[in-house]
Amino acid sequence: MTPESHSLTGDSPTGTDGPRPGPPPGCPAHGLGPGGRARLHESEDLRKLYEELRAEHGPVAPVLIHDDVPMWVVLGHAESQQLVRTPAHYCKDSRIWSALAEGLVKPDHPLMPHIAWQPMCAHAEGDEHLRLRGAIDAAVAATDFRSLRRHVNRSVQRVVNRFCEAGEADLVGQYAEHLPMAVMCQVLGMPDEYNDRIVQAARDMLRGTETAIASNAYIMGALQRLTARRRVEPMDDFAGHLIAHPAGLTDEEVSQHLRVVLIAAYEATANLLANVLRQVLVDPRFRSQLNGGQMTVPQAVEQLLWDEPPFSTIFAYFAKQDTELGGQRIRKGDALLLAPAPANVDPRVRPDPTADMMGNRSHLAFGGGPHECPGQDIGRTIAEVGVDALLMRLPDVELSVDEEELTFTESIASRHLVELPVHFTPRPQQDVRKRPTYEKDAPVQQDWHIGAAPPQRTAEPAPQPPHMEPPVPLPPPPTVPEPAPPRNAWQRFLRWWRGY
C-alpha cells in the first residue's frame, strides 16, 4: 500500500481531516519550520540535508523555501525523470501554484525572478511552447560547431593573454567567469559587447544583489540593441536565426529568449568549467586518467556533470492535478523542485557515488523532457575546449593553495567555487588567430597535459673534423623531391575537432 504524505498546502495528512503529526525526534527538519519541514535556504550543508531528507522521507520530501513557502524537493533519479517527462501531470506555469494563489508568495519573494511566469518557452505549454521552443531549437541546430570551437580557442587566447605573463591567476574570476561570456557574445551576434562590465552584470544579476535590477537592465539593453540591429541587418548568428524563424517572434520575445540563452549558458558553463579545472588540479587520480589516455576531456566534463551539476536545483514544476510521486501524495497546484545534485547520487542508480560514470549521459544536469536545456551541447563544447586549450597554453599550471583552503558559496540553486588560485611558468602572449600551444614559449616542466608529445632532446653538435682541402666538386645527380607524408586520419580529425 502506498503511504501518503501531508499536502504541502493542507493542514493534515489528508488535507483537512485530523491533526497534523509532528516530526519524530531526530528528524533533520525538527523545529526548523511549520510542520517540522526543513528550510532549504537556511541550510549550511545542502548535500548532507538532502541525504537526511532522503533517509527520512524517501525520493520526494516536503521542504520550505524563503518566507516558509512549502514545496516538494525531488531527490530520486527515477522520480525526477518522471517529473520532467510527464507534461500531462506537471508543468512550469507558476500561475497554477496554490501558494501564489493563497498569497503565501509575495511579489518581492527572493525566488520570484526564477519562478514568476513569463511569456517564454521555459514557461509555455502546448502549441505556444512548440512555437517558441521550435525557434530556439532551430537556432541551436544552425550552430556550426567547427566554427564554435575556433571561437572558443580564440577566446581562450584573448582571456589567457591577460594573465599569462604574470605567472599566477585565479581561474574562476579571471578565466571560468570570462570565457563563457566571451564565446556566448560571439555566438549570439554581439562580440563587441563582451567586456568586464557585462561579466560583472551577469554575476551581479545571478547573485541577486541590490544592484541586480540595474545589471539586468544593462544586459537587456545590449540584447535589445542586438535585436534591433538584426531586424535591419540579418546575419548568420543566433539572433539572426531567431528573427528569421517562421514562428515570427516579436522583438520582445527575441530579446527575452536571447537573455535566457545567454544567462543560462553563461552560468552553467562557468560553473562546469571551474569544477572541471578544480578536479584536474586537486585529484591525482583524475589527472592521471587524463594523462594516461584512460579519460578524454569530454569524458571528464561528463563525469563532472554527474558529480557537480551546474545547477543544484531547477525552479520549478507545478502539479496540474492530484497525483502521486515517489510515494507522496501531490496535490493540484503543489510546487516541486527538480534537484539534479541529489538525484545524480541516488543510491538506486549510483550505489558508489565515487564511481566514474564514463559513457553514461543519463544525469540530470541539463534537466529533461520538453524543457531540457536546448543549448547543452554549446556549453559542453565551451567547457571541453576551454579545459584542453588552457592546459595547452599553461601545461605546468598548479594549484597555489591546499585543496582544503578552496571555498564555495552555496544557495538552493547552485554551488559556486569562489576562487581557484594557480601558478605557472610566465609565458608571453600569443596570436589569438593561432591554436593555443606551449611550444616556443618556455621549457615544459611537466608532461601531463593532454595531447602533447614528449619534448625532443636537442642533439649536441658534432665535433668539427680537422681542416682538409676539399675535393674537386662533381655535378650533383638529379633528385626528385619526395612528397611530404599526408597527415594521418587521427591528426586530421584532431585538427578539425579543435577548429583548425
Side-chain angles (χ1 to χ4, degrees):
M1 183 174 180
T2 302
E4 284 190 358
S5 170
H6 54 275
S7 167
L8 289 183
T9 55
D11 294 325
S12 72
T14 57
T16 57
D17 303 329
R20 174 187 298 165
C27 172
H30 185 79
L32 292 179
R37 304 186 191 104
R39 292 186 172 108
L40 291 186
H41 57 290
E42 292 184 357
S43 173
E44 296 181 357
D45 188 345
L46 278 172
R47 290 187 175 190
K48 180 181 178 182
L49 176 60
Y50 285 143
E51 293 312 307
E52 290 174 339
L53 289 172
R54 195 196 309 272
E56 180 70 22
H57 299 281
V60 180
V63 294
L64 299 170
I65 58 173
H66 307 74
D67 298 340
D68 284 344
V69 175
M71 276 192 169
W72 299 99
V73 60
V74 184
L75 308 168
H77 190 273
E79 290 73 20
S80 295
Q81 296 279 18
Q82 183 179 346
L83 175 69
V84 300
R85 295 181 177 180
T86 317
H89 292 170
Y90 308 100
C91 69
K92 300 197 74 176
D93 188 343
S94 61
R95 292 175 296 183
I96 70 170
W97 189 9
S98 298
L100 188 64
E102 295 168 6
L104 297 178
V105 184
K106 307 302 180 185
D108 61 348
H109 191 279
L111 298 182
M112 280 301 284
H114 299 277
I115 299 175
W117 184 87
Q118 300 175 59
M120 298 185 302
C121 66
H123 297 152
E125 284 192 276
D127 291 342
E128 184 66 2
H129 176 262
L130 293 176
R131 180 180 79 89
L132 298 173
R133 179 62 184 247
I136 296 290
D137 287 344
V140 172
T143 301
D144 180 348
F145 279 84
R146 183 173 183 274
S147 295
L148 176 61
R149 291 186 184 94
R150 184 183 301 115
H151 291 320
V152 179
N153 273 310
R154 292 181 177 180
S155 296
V156 168
Q157 295 286 57
R158 291 189 182 94
V159 174
V160 175
N161 277 348
R162 300 173 68 174
F163 58 76
C164 63
E165 296 171 304
E168 59 182 12
D170 166 22
L171 292 185
V172 173
Q174 292 178 266
Y175 188 70
E177 291 186 352
H178 277 262
L179 179 64
M181 183 61 75
V183 176
M184 288 309 301
C185 284
Q186 179 75 46
V187 168
L188 296 188
M190 53 177 199
D192 293 340
E193 295 285 355
Y194 166 68
N195 53 33
D196 290 344
R197 176 70 181 92
I198 198 168
V199 172
Q200 292 165 0
R203 300 305 311 154
D204 187 53
M205 186 175 67
L206 288 163
R207 289 175 180 138
T209 67
E210 294 180 355
T211 56
I213 294 176
S215 295
N216 180 64
Y218 176 84
I219 290 175
M220 284 305 302
L223 297 173
Q224 288 162 354
R225 291 192 296 272
L226 171 61
T227 302
R229 192 162 59 246
R230 285 294 169 268
R231 285 289 184 193
V232 297
E233 299 175 6
M235 289 188 67
D236 185 22
D237 52 35
F238 201 96
H241 287 293
L242 277 187
I243 289 173
H245 193 268
L249 273 62
T250 65
D251 283 6
E252 179 67 13
E253 288 174 334
V254 170
S255 59
Q256 288 291 346
H257 282 86
L258 288 174
R259 173 184 174 275
V260 171
V261 170
L262 174 66
I263 297 303
Y266 168 73
E267 171 74 351
T269 310
N271 278 356
L272 177 59
L273 187 56
N275 287 332
V276 176
L277 289 171
R278 175 185 62 83
Q279 196 73 4
V280 168
L281 293 170
V282 305
D283 188 343
R285 178 187 61 86
F286 198 86
R287 178 184 288 189
S288 66
Q289 286 182 306
L290 283 175
N291 298 343
Q294 296 99 331
M295 180 188 293
T296 64
V297 174
Q299 288 172 327
V301 169
E302 215 63 35
Q303 179 69 35
L304 266 295
L305 288 171
W306 276 99
D307 297 338
E308 288 277 359
F311 296 106
S312 305
T313 60
I314 298 174
F315 296 93
Y317 284 79
F318 305 92
K320 299 167 69 173
Q321 60 188 40
D322 288 357
T323 185
E324 182 269 343
L325 184 66
Q328 303 284 16
R329 184 175 182 179
I330 310 298
R331 297 285 190 178
K332 179 180 179 180
D334 280 358
L336 304 97
L337 292 176
L338 172 66
N344 280 354
V345 293
D346 185 343
R348 294 173 297 175
V349 296
R350 289 185 75 181
D352 178 4
T354 65
D356 69 61
M357 303 295 285
M358 284 194 291
N360 188 334
R361 279 195 170 192
S362 62
H363 55 73
L364 292 155
F366 296 111
H371 294 288
E372 185 175 16
C373 175
Q376 57 185 278
D377 287 335
I378 294 176
R380 280 189 175 98
T381 300
I382 296 173
E384 291 166 8
V385 180
V387 171
D388 194 14
L390 178 74
L391 298 181
M392 291 295 288
R393 278 294 301 268
L394 308 173
D396 59 347
V397 63
E398 295 287 349
L399 196 62
S400 296
V401 298
D402 292 335
E403 179 184 356
E404 294 74 20
E405 297 180 56
L406 297 177
T407 58
F408 294 81
T409 58
E410 189 168 18
S411 67
I412 299 175
S414 59
R415 183 172 180 258
H416 294 274
L417 181 62
V418 176
E419 289 182 325
L420 190 61
V422 297
H423 61 272
F424 46 86
T425 301
R427 284 178 161 79
Q429 298 185 16
Q430 292 186 4
D431 186 342
V432 299
R433 297 167 297 179
K434 301 291 182 65
R435 181 165 61 90
T437 178
Y438 69 92
E439 296 174 356
K440 299 180 182 179
D441 283 347
V444 179
Q445 298 179 357
Q446 296 185 5
D447 61 357
W448 58 268
H449 77 280
I450 301 163
Q456 300 295 322
R457 297 184 62 181
T458 303
E460 296 181 1
Q464 295 294 327
H467 178 71
M468 298 178 64
E469 291 293 331
V472 178
L474 297 175
T479 59
V480 179
E482 295 184 4
R487 294 176 180 271
N488 62 38
W490 178 247
Q491 289 172 318
R492 291 198 301 272
F493 172 75
L494 281 180
R495 186 173 176 83
W496 174 85
W497 176 264
R498 288 169 174 161
Y500 289 89

